[in-house]
Amino acid sequence: MKLLRRGVATLLGFGLLGTAVSVAAPGPGAPGIGDPYFPLAGNGGYDVSHYDISLKYQPKTDLLTGTTTILAKASQELSSFNLDFLLKVTSVKVNNEPAEFTTDGGELKVTPKTAVADDEDLVVVVTYSDTPAKYRLDGKEGWVRTPTGALAAREPNIAPWWFPSNNHPLDKATHDVNIAVPAGLTAVSNGLLTVAGFPLAGGLVRWHWRSTEPQAGHVTFLAIGKYDLKTSTTPSGLPFVRAYGSDLGADGPAAKASVERTPEIVGVLSKYFGPYPFEAQGGVVDSKMPIGALETQTRPIYPTNMFSVGAVPSVVAHEMAHQWFGNSVSVAAWRDIWLAEGFATYAQFLWSESQGDGTAAELAQYLYELFPTGHPAWSEPPGDPGSGLFTWGIYNRGAMTLQALRTAVGDKVFFSILRTWAAEHRGGNANTADFIALAKRLAGKDLDSLFAAWLDASSKPAVGPNGPGKAAKATAKPKSVDSILKHQHPLSPKGLK
Ligand SMILES: [Zn+2]
């Protein structure tokens, strides 16, 4: 689109002025990055490399005061550009010059004093002060007040409630999150803990977290409250930082028993997927988590009641698998979400297989037979789930798609595909067509009809995930199937994400 606009301008210039010099005027950056499901998600015209987020939060009043500094580079000439943000803004500076701004329904439009040149480095400083809990985006809340603090943790949007951003997985960046909260409270975010409760004037303490790897807005979280913070080092040498709410109650021990196994689970997953892609591991357990578990980068958040049945390491396997699939290899558009959820569900199959609780083949076959013809798992193809995103299809049928691929290409090629996928797109984005192309390249054969049947058709594939024949029939209910299904969105309102 950028090229087309320039091309037209150049032609006009040639016709009117008799010269090939472009007369293109800087235009506004698009208010969306081009996601077919969410036209206003993200923005056009620039690419962010880093967010420096400096905040102060008062839980009693929900007052959040902040300054976010955004380092970006323009990808076109810009007369104005948008950021995704809900809160009331007090000032915006672009390259140290005050800029004009307007806010409207989650879009912060910034008009710099002088137009931005293509390829120009941008330093955008936004200051703000507001009470985030009152806002909704697409009818959903993203900032939830809790008895001792607040939680910013929701999919597919978290960022607009606490920092202005280019809020789409296509524009990932590193982050510094620096926050002052009343003494006695802990503020938790992603990545490395660099300052832990440093005393400030006025009865405040400062917490600072740093994400050194590219991170999308929808997995950048903030949890403020009374937490028991535990830090140690994983066997692989990474910081392992987890925060347990002070009010976990009867489910607390099972929650902790599950999350404490994170490094062990990551070790098992690494054997299948290749090296863990991030700088830290961890987890947060909070009884007020408004949705199910969420794969926030390096440090998933789990609701306490997810563990009411006892320890569920399978949930940890799901959320930590997202660190490879969904967080390191991010979707290029939200339509591709099965590349995150189908893979994370398949990781639960692999975890089950590693624990002797049922093989991936048995689980895939059991689910294939469990869902009758006409079930949403079949009528809602994972290749195009719609803007509701979290359908039956993206989880179970997505995982069955991978089992069908494993059946078609054999274990050696299958795991090579998964590892190559994680390595080639590490820290980046990819779509379903990229995955199919990789699978065909490594398998050396045409797999189009397999993917069409499993990802695109609105009907139950005629052949199950283990291929035709007697051996493909499920014999018994795998031991792990209940723990996989029970915690899965949308079966349970407190399901997985
Ligand atoms: Zn998930």
Side-chain angles (χ1 to χ4, degrees):
M1 200 147 169
K2 179 180 79 175
L3 291 173
L4 179 65
R5 182 175 60 75
R6 278 207 185 135
V8 170
T10 304
L11 283 175
L12 284 173
F14 186 82
L16 292 171
L17 304 172
T19 161
V21 173
S22 169
V23 294
I33 207 164
D35 193 294
Y37 285 176
F38 304 103
L40 290 179
N43 305 285
Y46 62 93
D47 184 71
V48 177
S49 58
H50 185 73
Y51 295 94
D52 188 291
I53 304 158
S54 186
L55 305 168
K56 183 166 83 173
Y57 184 63
Q58 292 288 357
K60 276 189 184 150
T61 55
D62 193 37
L63 182 64
L64 182 75
T65 307
T67 301
T68 290
T69 302
I70 301 166
L71 306 184
K73 190 183 266 293
S75 55
Q76 66 176 75
E77 291 178 279
L78 288 167
S79 57
S80 67
F81 58 89
N82 282 29
L83 292 161
D84 300 306
F85 197 44
L86 286 161
L87 305 190
K88 194 164 171 257
V89 171
T90 45
S91 73
V92 180
K93 279 187 175 181
V94 177
N95 291 347
N96 217 26
E97 293 267 16
E100 289 181 14
F101 60 91
T102 56
T103 50
D104 181 21
E107 293 288 321
L108 167 62
K109 183 179 177 185
V110 177
T111 306
K113 213 169 207 174
T114 49
V116 175
D118 188 8
D119 225 26
E120 184 177 341
D121 286 328
L122 288 171
V123 180
V124 183
V125 181
V126 182
T127 62
Y128 44 99
S129 183
D130 206 346
T131 49
K134 63 177 180 262
Y135 290 100
R136 300 286 180 276
L137 188 60
D138 298 330
K140 289 176 183 165
E141 57 185 3
W143 179 277
V144 178
R145 296 178 75 181
T146 64
T148 59
L151 269 176
R154 186 100 203 190
E155 195 169 14
N157 293 299
I158 310 176
W161 282 264
W162 59 290
F163 69 99
S165 71
N166 193 13
N167 185 34
H168 191 278
L170 268 180
D171 192 358
K172 298 196 280 187
T174 53
H175 292 67
D176 273 283
V177 176
N178 192 336
I179 177 164
V181 293
L185 298 187
T186 301
V188 190
S189 189
N190 315 80
L192 306 170
L193 173 60
T194 60
V195 177
F198 183 81
L200 302 172
L204 299 172
V205 290
R206 186 163 76 91
W207 295 82
H208 190 159
W209 299 82
R210 174 167 290 166
S211 300
T212 60
E213 297 290 331
Q215 180 172 292
H218 75 283
V219 287
T220 303
F221 82 101
L222 187 58
I224 300 159
K226 285 197 170 154
Y227 292 101
D228 178 14
L229 196 73
K230 291 190 179 304
T231 61
S232 59
T233 304
T234 69
S236 57
L238 297 179
F240 176 40
V241 184
R242 53 277 193 214
Y244 298 116
S246 61
D247 61 343
L248 298 187
D251 300 335
K256 290 178 188 176
S258 307
V259 174
E260 290 297 312
R261 291 184 73 180
T262 298
E264 173 203 349
I265 291 165
V266 167
V268 169
L269 297 180
S270 300
K271 287 180 187 150
Y272 295 114
F273 305 149
Y276 177 75
F278 295 125
E279 68 275 25
Q281 296 177 23
V284 177
V285 182
D286 194 301
S287 60
K288 296 296 183 290
M289 178 64 178
I291 55 170
L294 187 64
E295 67 269 26
T296 35
Q297 192 154 309
T298 68
R299 196 159 291 116
I301 309 183
Y302 306 89
T304 319
N305 64 0
M306 179 155 271
F307 305 97
S308 59
V309 293
V312 192
S314 175
V315 170
V316 178
H318 181 107
E319 304 307 337
M320 292 314 287
H322 273 310
Q323 307 309 317
W324 283 266
F325 307 114
N327 294 0
S328 173
V329 184
S330 298
V331 297
W334 282 106
R335 186 176 54 205
D336 303 316
I337 185 102
W338 86 274
L339 291 170
E341 299 305 344
F343 282 53
T345 304
Y346 197 75
Q348 292 178 277
F349 292 7
L350 293 172
W351 170 255
S352 168
E353 192 165 307
S354 78
Q355 301 301 296
D357 291 338
T359 65
E362 288 166 348
L363 282 158
Q365 188 66 28
Y366 183 84
L367 294 174
Y368 175 75
E369 292 176 15
L370 180 69
F371 303 134
T373 301
H375 187 278
W378 310 122
S379 60
E380 297 169 354
D384 191 5
S387 61
L389 297 181
F390 301 103
T391 63
W392 285 81
I394 63 164
Y395 292 89
N396 298 302
R397 187 166 157 190
M400 283 184 252
T401 302
L402 292 177
Q403 180 60 31
L405 176 63
R406 187 175 172 179
T407 302
V409 302
D411 277 15
K412 188 161 177 269
V413 172
F414 175 72
F415 287 108
S416 170
I417 291 168
L418 294 190
R419 282 191 292 269
T420 306
W421 179 247
E424 283 190 353
H425 298 288
R426 181 175 176 165
N429 299 79
N431 62 29
T432 301
D434 296 327
F435 183 71
I436 293 173
L438 172 69
K440 287 159 74 173
R441 172 159 64 88
L442 294 191
K445 62 176 171 181
D446 183 31
L447 297 162
D448 285 343
S449 59
L450 181 151
F451 284 112
W454 284 96
L455 293 179
D456 301 331
S458 303
S459 56
K460 186 170 181 171
V463 176
N466 296 308
K470 212 174 171 183
K473 276 281 176 197
T475 48
K477 184 177 176 180
K479 199 175 155 193
S480 60
V481 77
D482 285 338
S483 72
I484 292 171
L485 283 177
K486 180 176 168 50
H487 296 281
Q488 197 173 80
H489 183 93
L491 271 167
S492 150
K494 290 272 186 185
L496 288 169
K497 282 288 175 77

